[in-house]
């Protein structure tokens, strides 16, 4: 009997590709990526087999945090292009079969936003209450210091308050002092920011990534955080009420979604954000801090499955513009090139076969590492430049130091690995990292079990992570050998009852193993990652 495919919303089956616009493609030679550049390179994303793009912020901004400090939510920064370019980008992505996710920052603005400029004029400003101001001792006075012990992200652990001399008050910010927090307890703020959301939904974006979203809810009494419970009063449960209002706006349009950046490292804290009336997805940060260790990864996956019922859908990532790339983080100085490559491919198989929505970060498909920058190069407040260097499209030996990213001087140097890890060179080889990602994404798309199937982890030898993804009619076995030794995986019942398995994909160049006639065991070669079909014989 055949089963109708399970209808799943697009964001559950999509593979999402993150574009950091400053570093993706520069169309006008000023050394900074822009919207025209993205439009020109959408073929690459569509050929890769991604289903959606998430674009980091492109709005008007003084760029203290490279766009995460917005001075006008409703216009595009001239460095990136114009509103007409944004419309073209949305239309062009759709024509390529790609959904579009914009990065929306509900919780803070730039200090150069007209709301903050007005608010800073004085205590009587009609916009004063858009932000949080508190009296407190003047810095430097004998009892000087901010109103409470809350901390900001940049630099990590700095006070979340900055003294504003003209009105002799402190204002609150979760990130840089140039990024004052909006006060979401003020209904006027909520109304204004939900209008921003509508503005972009009306222009045709399919989804939004909600930046630093846990921070829109704060303890109204501004009480001190408690030692051992970091940030608790800065991530107050009232956030869930606000998210219901956000969700109501999304639901007033067909098929729109929000993925939240819930920057919390304990998975039980993110589950409440994934309720039916709130976010469809949250980035799961747990992998960002895990070592290259199958036991730790397996535990994180199992923990999420335990927490979440069937309606809650995970979203996994290994790289983004804030975190060191895994090609750096998961490698050691002693790794040779073959081992380095095997690890990258193992990571690719992991992220693209786990139950959940995978998010890839530009350059991940080339296996890019962080770029070693000379002292004094790079200007990010939080030292995130090494993972933000430009995307290499061509070998620098042919295209010069811009590596096809720009004809001018790139705003940050392209990484040394661009000699081989660039799009053109990898496009020419059937065995490149890029070719492997492409194969894997195609395989994923072609197998319902990898898209929507249930997942069960298999009891594996130390050093191996293995799981089965199943629908009623299709079973995919994923087995990842994290060691330099051969490993034998014993497949337990009921998988064991299935009688044939064949490799669909392996990171070993040849699929030396013929289709197996029995699947009670599976031999894994050193560092091998396998996706196999299990069928009833
Ligand atoms: C999270 C973003 O990913 C990061 O790049 C940014 O600096 C902070 N939020 C503040 O907006
Ligand atoms: Ca440009």
């Amino acid at each position: 009997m055949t089963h109708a495919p399970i209808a799943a919303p697009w964001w559950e089956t999509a593979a999402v590709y993150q574009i950091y616009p400053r570093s993706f493609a520069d169309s006008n030679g000023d050394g900074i990526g822009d919207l025209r550049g993205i439009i020109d390179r959408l073929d690459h994303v569509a050929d890769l087999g991604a289903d959606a793009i998430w674009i980091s912020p492109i709005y008007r901004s003084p760029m203290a945090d490279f766009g995460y400090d917005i001075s006008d939510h409703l216009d595009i920064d001239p460095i990136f292009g114009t509103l007409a370019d944004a419309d073209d980008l949305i239309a062009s992505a759709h024509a390529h079969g790609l959904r579009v996710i914009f990065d929306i920052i509900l919780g803070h603005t730039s200090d150069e936003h007209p709301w903050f400029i007005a608010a800073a004029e004085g205590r009587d400003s009609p916009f004063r209450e858009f932000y949080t101001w508190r009296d407190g001792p003047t810095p430097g006075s004998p009892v000087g210091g901010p109103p409470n012990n809350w901390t900001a992200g940049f630099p990590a652990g700095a006070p979340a308050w900055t003294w504003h001399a003209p009105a002799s008050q402190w204002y609150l910010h979760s990130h840089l002092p140039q990024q004052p927090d909006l006060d979401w307890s003020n209904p006027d703020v909520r109304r204004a920011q939900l209008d921003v959301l509508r503005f972009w939904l009306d222009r045709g974006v399919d989804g939004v990534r909600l930046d630093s979203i846990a921070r829109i809810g704060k303890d109204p009494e501004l009480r001190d955080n408690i030692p051992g419970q970091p940030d608790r009063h800065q991530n107050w449960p009232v956030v869930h009420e606000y998210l219901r209002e956000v969700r109501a706006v999304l639901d007033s349009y067909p098929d729109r979604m929000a993925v939240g950046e819930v920057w919390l490292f304990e998975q039980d804290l993110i589950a409440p954000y994934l309720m039916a009336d709130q976010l469809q997805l949250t980035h799961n940060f747990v992998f960002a801090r895990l070592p290259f260790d199958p036991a730790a990864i397996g535990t994180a996956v199992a923990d999420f499955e335990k927490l979440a019922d069937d309606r809650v859908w995970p979203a996994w990532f290994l790289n983004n513009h804030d975190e060191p790339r895994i090609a750096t983080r998961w490698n050691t100085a002693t790794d040779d090139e073959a081992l380095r490559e095997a690890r990258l491919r193992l990571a690719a198989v992991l992220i693209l076969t786990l139950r959940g929505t995978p998010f890839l970060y530009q350059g991940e498909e080339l296996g890019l590492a962080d770029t070693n920058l000379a002292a004094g190069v790079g200007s990010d407040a939080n030292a995130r430049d090494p993972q933000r260097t430009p995307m290499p499209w061509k070998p620098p030996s042919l295209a010069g130091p811009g590596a096809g990213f720009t004809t001018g001087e790139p705003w940050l140097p392209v990484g040394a690995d661009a000699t081989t890890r660039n799009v053109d060179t990898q496009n020419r080889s059937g065995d490149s990292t890029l070719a492997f990602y492409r194969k894997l994404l195609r395989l994923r798309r072609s197998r319902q079990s990898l898209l929507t199937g249930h997942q069960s982890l298999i009891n594996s030898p130390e050093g191996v992570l293995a799981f089965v993804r199943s629908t009623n009619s299709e079973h995919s076995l994923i087995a990842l050998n994290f060691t330099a030794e051969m490993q034998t995986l014993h497949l337990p019942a009921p998988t064991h009852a299935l009688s044939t398995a064949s490799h669909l994909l392996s990171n070993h160049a040849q699929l030396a193993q013929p289709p197996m006639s029995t699947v009670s065991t599976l031999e894994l070669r050193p560092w091998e990652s396998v996706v196999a079909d299990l069928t009833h014989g």
Side-chain angles (χ1 to χ4, degrees), residues 18 20 54 56-57 65 67-69 103 105 108 154 174-176 179 209 211-212 261 263 285 320-322 380 382 384 388:
Q18 182 193 355
Y20 192 69
W54 149 34
S56 284
D65 190 17
Y68 284 94
D69 49 321
D103 209 320
I105 302 157
H108 55 269
F154 315 139
S174 292
H175 303 92
L176 292 171
Q179 293 167 295
R209 180 255 189 194
D211 184 75
S212 198
E261 189 208 15
W263 201 76
F285 276 85
N320 72 16
H321 63 297
D322 292 329
D380 176 51
N382 220 27
R384 293 164 295 184
R388 297 178 175 180

Side-chain angles (χ1 to χ4, degrees), residues 349-405:
V349 174
L350 173 72
I351 206 76
L352 291 171
T353 59
L354 274 178
R355 175 178 180 270
T357 302
F359 282 71
L360 304 175
Y361 175 47
Q362 68 184 44
E364 181 168 345
E365 74 278 29
L366 305 172
L368 289 188
D370 289 350
T371 300
N372 279 321
L373 296 171
V377 176
S379 47
D380 176 51
N382 220 27
R384 293 164 295 184
D385 309 272
Q387 58 266 36
R388 297 178 175 180
T389 57
M391 177 84 174
W393 295 94
K394 296 186 173 128
S397 56
L398 298 179
F405 160 74

Side-chain angles (χ1 to χ4, degrees), residues 25-35 79-80 406:
D26 171 26
S27 71
N28 62 355
D30 67 356
I32 299 180
D34 47 52
L35 299 189
I79 247 180
F80 295 128
T406 180

